[in-house]
Amino acid sequence: MKERQGGFLISKIKVLGGRRFEKILKEKNIDAFNGAQGKILYVLWQGGKMSFTKISKNSGLAKTTLTAMLARMREQGLVCIEENSEDKRSAMVSLTQKAAELKEEYNAVTQEIESIYYKGFSDAETEQFENYLRRILKNLEGENG
């Protein structure tokens, strides 16, 4: 049976993609956030105000990592963290106006990185590839129960 390298390749793509994303941020003189913070911003741009738990689930970041990152983002004026009126044990995170205004810059970086990722791919190939990735993600999420 042929050795499968999907996990290794995905891991390598993640590392190299992250480096390239950071390089694009630097080239565009975007210093308001880094690539890792961009994941959190993206999740909040998509879903609005949400709990740490939901941000963790949607971004794939561990809660311990997320807590430190959100504290830093709060200091940078990117997010507001407030008590959850429905559950005093959890806090709610929302974007500041400053963060909302960064969405266009983030989208420009994302479009550039996507053009690198999908260079030479047809639209149909891109769609098929992303469907495969969604299936892998669903499999992994099912394992975590």
Side-chain angles (χ1 to χ4, degrees), residues 2-68:
K2 185 177 179 181
E3 182 182 334
R4 301 289 179 205
Q5 295 187 330
F8 172 78
L9 294 171
I10 289 169
S11 180
K12 193 169 181 179
I13 289 166
K14 179 181 182 278
V15 169
L16 294 174
R19 286 182 194 155
R20 183 63 70 98
F21 195 89
E22 294 291 343
K23 183 179 179 191
I24 294 168
L25 286 173
K26 189 173 183 175
E27 288 169 357
K28 293 184 176 294
N29 293 317
I30 299 172
D31 60 3
F33 62 89
N34 62 36
Q37 292 172 332
K39 286 181 191 177
I40 296 169
L41 292 172
Y42 177 80
V43 165
L44 291 168
W45 284 319
Q46 300 302 307
K49 183 187 285 192
M50 60 182 72
S51 68
F52 279 53
T53 302
K54 188 160 185 178
I55 295 169
S56 175
K57 181 180 184 296
N58 291 355
S59 69
L61 295 168
K63 284 185 192 176
T64 51
T65 302
L66 186 63
T67 300

Side-chain angles (χ1 to χ4, degrees), residues 15 58 78-79 94 121 131:
V15 169
N58 291 355
L78 296 172
V79 297
S94 60
F121 283 71
N131 284 334

Side-chain angles (χ1 to χ4, degrees), residues 26-129:
K26 189 173 183 175
E27 288 169 357
K28 293 184 176 294
N29 293 317
I30 299 172
D31 60 3
F33 62 89
N34 62 36
Q37 292 172 332
K39 286 181 191 177
I40 296 169
L41 292 172
Y42 177 80
V43 165
L44 291 168
W45 284 319
Q46 300 302 307
K49 183 187 285 192
M50 60 182 72
S51 68
F52 279 53
T53 302
K54 188 160 185 178
I55 295 169
S56 175
K57 181 180 184 296
N58 291 355
S59 69
L61 295 168
K63 284 185 192 176
T64 51
T65 302
L66 186 63
T67 300
M69 289 178 67
L70 286 169
R72 173 103 171 98
M73 292 173 74
R74 180 190 219 171
E75 290 171 12
Q76 293 171 277
L78 296 172
V79 297
C80 293
I81 302 172
E82 55 195 49
E83 189 178 274
N84 182 349
S85 59
E86 296 172 17
D87 181 358
K88 302 292 185 207
R89 295 168 297 159
S90 71
M92 297 298 287
V93 180
S94 60
L95 295 171
T96 62
Q97 184 62 36
K98 176 181 176 181
E101 292 169 0
L102 295 170
K103 188 175 182 185
E104 195 172 306
E105 289 180 82
Y106 179 86
N107 287 343
V109 175
T110 299
Q111 286 174 350
E112 189 169 334
I113 198 82
E114 283 179 5
S115 72
I116 294 167
Y117 277 12
Y118 297 125
K119 182 179 179 181
F121 283 71
S122 69
D123 286 343
E125 288 172 325
T126 299
E127 187 63 34
Q128 184 178 30
F129 173 69

